[in-house]
Amino acid sequence: MNIEPYTKEHVENWIKNKTKSTNKLLFLDSTIYQPGNEAKEKLFLQYIDALANQGSGSIVMGIKTFKQRAKEIGKNIFNSKDVFTIKTLIETRISPSIENLSVYTINTDSDKTVLVITLCESNMPYMIDNEGYYGWNGLKTRKLTENEIRHLYLNHNKPQLEYVGVINTQGIGLLENGLTHTIQFYPKFLIRNAGNMPEKEYKVEFWFPSSIVDTTFSPIQDYFQRLEGPYSVYSIPSRTTLFQDETFTIAEAKLMVTNDNMNDFLNLDFQIHIYYSHGKLSHSFKLNETFNYQKKQITQNSLKAIF
């Protein structure tokens, strides 16, 4: 996950609106960090470590607060040397290395500068060397207990299923007297385990408009479950363990487009719902934007040309 960088306008609005400091957007005075001051560096790293173990968020250094609300920009001027020093400190003192880390400065109209440290979604607990693991107590940092650390490992080390996409989206035309009267598709749908733990228990539901599904095609028809309005729902259970970064063909189908179901093809979507041990994902795609014939999108105009 990427987070868009903050701008001068953000800083101005925080001050104007007296934005409340939180552990997702934490305002700190520039005195929180002094290069070479061991005590200051230790406290600063505790904030970074707590932010990382939370998963994501930003620390904005150089904004003074009153009752935990942004008040004014301090008399500070951060520069590229500060960015380098802070990144180096984080990279060398916190482990494992934080990949989704961004450190940058924002110049304001008052010739003052704030420094922003942003962490995107992280995948595992982080610790400060010789110090341990830190989390939040309100807007202050505290050392995590052994049970909390264990929970972080269990929470972050988990499977993460995702829909990769579909292949075989080009249609095959059936001809009669030189004219196409039916377009057939034999799509294969792929899922992947993007997490860092194997996944054994999952199922995937496919919702196709009933009119376009060839019910004689057993690979998908064997998993027919129910009707939902214009849709036929197919529920495919886990048949194999998905290991880390493994991609798997979860289903094959046979779809057909004719004069009789062209309106459904042009106007309806198909849906994919993935259920697994740590959540659910849902996707919806327009049929006519996914499946093509002769490398062209099938539209109402092409209907006249094809049929």
Side-chain angles (χ1 to χ4, degrees), residues 192-242:
R192 183 172 78 98
N193 182 1
N196 47 28
M197 289 287 287
E199 178 60 295
K200 296 180 180 180
E201 302 295 331
Y202 58 92
K203 75 171 183 176
V204 182
E205 276 191 359
F206 290 90
W207 293 44
F208 296 114
S210 300
S211 63
I212 72 167
V213 180
D214 185 345
T215 57
T216 66
F217 191 69
S218 60
I220 189 72
Q221 199 61 30
D222 289 346
Y223 299 102
F224 173 78
Q225 187 180 70
R226 65 188 188 276
L227 294 173
E228 292 281 354
Y231 293 94
S232 292
V233 180
Y234 300 87
S235 181
I236 301 177
S238 55
R239 304 190 299 275
T240 183
T241 298
L242 287 182

Side-chain angles (χ1 to χ4, degrees), residues 49-56 96 120-126 133-134 144 148-160 194-197 244 278:
D49 198 59
L51 191 70
N53 285 329
Q54 172 182 261
S56 65
C120 299
E121 292 293 340
S122 54
N123 292 322
M124 54 194 317
Y126 297 88
Y133 300 81
Y134 282 82
L144 296 178
E148 289 173 322
I149 296 168
R150 186 180 297 112
H151 178 74
L152 274 177
Y153 272 104
L154 291 174
N155 186 51
H156 287 290
N157 288 277
K158 62 185 180 181
Q160 182 180 335
N196 47 28
M197 289 287 287
Q244 299 91 319
H278 283 76

